[in-house]
Amino acid sequence: MERSQGCLECTARGKHPFCNMENSSLTKFDTIGTPVQFGSGAVIFREGDHCGSVHVLCSGRVKLSATSREGRTLILKIARSGEILGLSAALAGQAYEVTAETVEPCKLKTIRRQALLDFLDRNPDASMRAARAVAQEYKAAFYEVRRLALPATASGRVANLLLDWSREASPETSGKGRCMMPLTHEEIASMTATTRETVTRVLGQLKRDNLIQIHGAALTVLQPQALERLAV
Amino acid sequence: MERSQGCLECTARGKHPFCNMENSSLTKFDTIGTPVQFGSGAVIFREGDHCGSVHVLCSGRVKLSATSREGRTLILKIARSGEILGLSAALAGQAYEVTAETVEPCKLKTIRRQALLDFLDRNPDASMRAARAVAQEYKAAFYEVRRLALPATASGRVANLLLDWSREASPETSGKGRCMMPLTHEEIASMTATTRETVTRVLGQLKRDNLIQIHGAALTVLQPQALERLAV
DNA sequence: TAAGGGTTGTGATTTGAATCACCTAACTGC
DNA sequence: GCAGTTAGGTGATTCAAATCACAACCCTTA
């Protein structure tokens, strides 16, 4: 009788397009999903694993990454609450494309792939929502390509990333340009196709030029326009 | 009474997941789409344009690209028949993310965004197919990120692209590793985040090392394993 | 309080690839 | 045929960033 994790009562529901479906659909949805909790650093699934389930991220952040045979790691994005991990793999009927690893304690709702497909078949509004959710995922992946491939320099790619972060976070942290960046330089390097040392140097330069401020994990973008000029 | 372009009679229908819907749905679908033809080099829509329509690509190839303020161009992919251009933008209700330009004469079927959404609402099997189609688009975008960001060198990115092409084409051209590459070095550079000169040099080196063969637009991959080793 | 693992900061060196500059071919349409 | 245009090829030079090598910090945990 775990009611605290019911989707109907979820306070964040309105914020998340997929979760915000009709009550009747959501009631049914609630019965096919299992609430799960993870600590920090837990692996939810691995790249190449058979996709048996999708995972709705209720709270917390999850790092999505891919690794090359030679050991180079690319972090695609940090997923936030409301995202549906593994949805595209489940719909396409293929293995997970990425590895999902929590970066902080997370609550999720896990749904078996077949149960989800049956549910979508029977609830047209949910299946439209799923299509929209994947469209969002697509858009995000597309902007990732853009962010990586268009800037000519490493500083451009880093600047792009910082701008993205400050834009995403703006509603929460009222002060403009402030956001939390709980990643190491090594991880930022994996998100910008560069090296740890280069990230250190670029961030150092941006601080010296007063374009940004960093206190621990707190990042403040002081001059967004100047960053944009760098970012191309 | 244009019947030649009806989806029901389309011979390629079986090859394309989205088009291969139930006959009853397809009949309805046929009534909401307008067949259109384009010559080579025609622009179907532009990045940033309001997304008023989606376009089912019936035959021919279409170049999808994005441009930065500074004029750098990134070619995301060459879409082939069966793809639905602008679907993700239509579902997400936003502007087109890319510019679509034909690289050879193409036939398309254009559907007003609202007509498509209504159609999807009323035909659950079609909306599942749409979700799957976007999931495919997502996967493609994801591999694009991988191809661009994981290899450490320009030759790695080019090698990756050549491998992708030869894999895609393999069913058609029976000879292994043979495919058509109707792009200039400049365009290949835009797909691999490098420059025209570097593409020329890399392809030259690959030819000299007997990893590939090029005659006009015909590309043959002679040693896929060696290319993979380069590609990382 | 010391020890040890992970993270960050910096210099010196090397290198891949961008840039610049030009040149040859191939195809276009007068 | 020749001028014009676009694609492909190549060398010389420059430069950003990868690599290598350590020092200086955190943080935990012992």
Side-chain angles (χ1 to χ4, degrees), chain A residues 38-113:
Chain A
F38 285 98
S40 193
V43 172
I44 306 172
F45 52 79
R46 284 218 150 75
E47 180 181 3
D49 282 357
H50 166 72
C51 171
S53 306
V54 299
H55 313 264
V56 179
L57 183 50
C58 303
S59 71
R61 282 189 275 192
V62 172
K63 179 170 84 180
L64 304 178
S65 63
T67 307
S68 74
R69 257 158 292 134
E70 261 63 7
R72 283 171 61 91
T73 297
L74 170 70
I75 300 180
L76 276 118
K77 67 181 289 194
I78 307 295
R80 314 166 135 252
S81 63
E83 295 197 45
I84 307 164
L85 311 176
L87 179 57
S88 62
L91 287 174
Q94 280 149 346
Y96 294 114
E97 304 96 356
V98 292
T99 298
E101 185 185 344
T102 60
V103 295
E104 57 194 21
C106 288
K107 291 184 183 174
L108 296 99
K109 201 152 238 176
T110 292
I111 300 109
R112 305 278 320 152
R113 173 172 182 262

Side-chain angles (χ1 to χ4, degrees), chain A residues 153-154 194-195 197-198 201:
Chain A
T153 66
T194 178
T195 60
E197 294 92 324
T198 300
R201 285 189 246 260

Side-chain angles (χ1 to χ4, degrees), chain A residues 3 45 49 59-60 64 66 91 135 148 173-174 189 201 214 223 227:
Chain A
R3 302 225 96 233
F45 52 79
D49 282 357
S59 71
L64 304 178
L91 287 174
L148 284 169
T173 56
S174 52
R201 285 189 246 260
I214 296 184
Q223 305 190 43
L227 268 190

Side-chain angles (χ1 to χ4, degrees), chain B residues 107-226:
Chain B
K107 291 184 184 174
L108 296 99
K109 201 152 237 178
T110 292
I111 302 109
R112 303 279 320 153
R113 172 170 182 263
Q114 200 49 57
L116 178 78
L117 294 181
D118 292 345
F119 170 76
L120 292 180
D121 269 338
R122 293 198 195 107
N123 298 273
D125 83 305
S127 88
M128 272 301 277
R129 272 170 207 286
R132 288 203 161 95
V134 193
Q136 275 306 127
E137 267 191 67
Y138 168 77
K139 240 179 103 77
F142 165 74
Y143 280 111
E144 180 81 6
V145 181
R146 243 191 110 99
R147 212 181 46 223
L148 283 169
L150 279 180
T153 65
S155 12
R157 294 194 292 279
V158 173
N160 255 324
L161 184 63
L162 300 185
L163 281 170
D164 270 14
W165 282 346
S166 69
R167 286 190 202 115
E168 281 174 4
S170 54
E172 301 165 24
T173 55
S174 52
K176 302 153 186 174
R178 284 185 51 74
C179 62
M180 282 300 157
M181 181 184 69
L183 298 182
T184 65
H185 290 185
E186 186 80 52
E187 291 173 308
I188 297 175
S190 298
M191 296 190 77
T192 49
T194 180
T195 59
R196 204 262 314 159
E197 294 92 324
T198 300
V199 170
T200 301
R201 284 190 247 260
V202 167
L203 290 181
Q205 189 60 47
L206 294 178
K207 275 191 275 190
R208 250 168 281 128
D209 295 349
N210 274 307
L211 302 191
I212 62 170
Q213 239 174 41
I214 296 184
H215 294 116
L219 165 81
T220 311
V221 174
L222 300 172
Q223 305 189 42
Q225 336 79 304

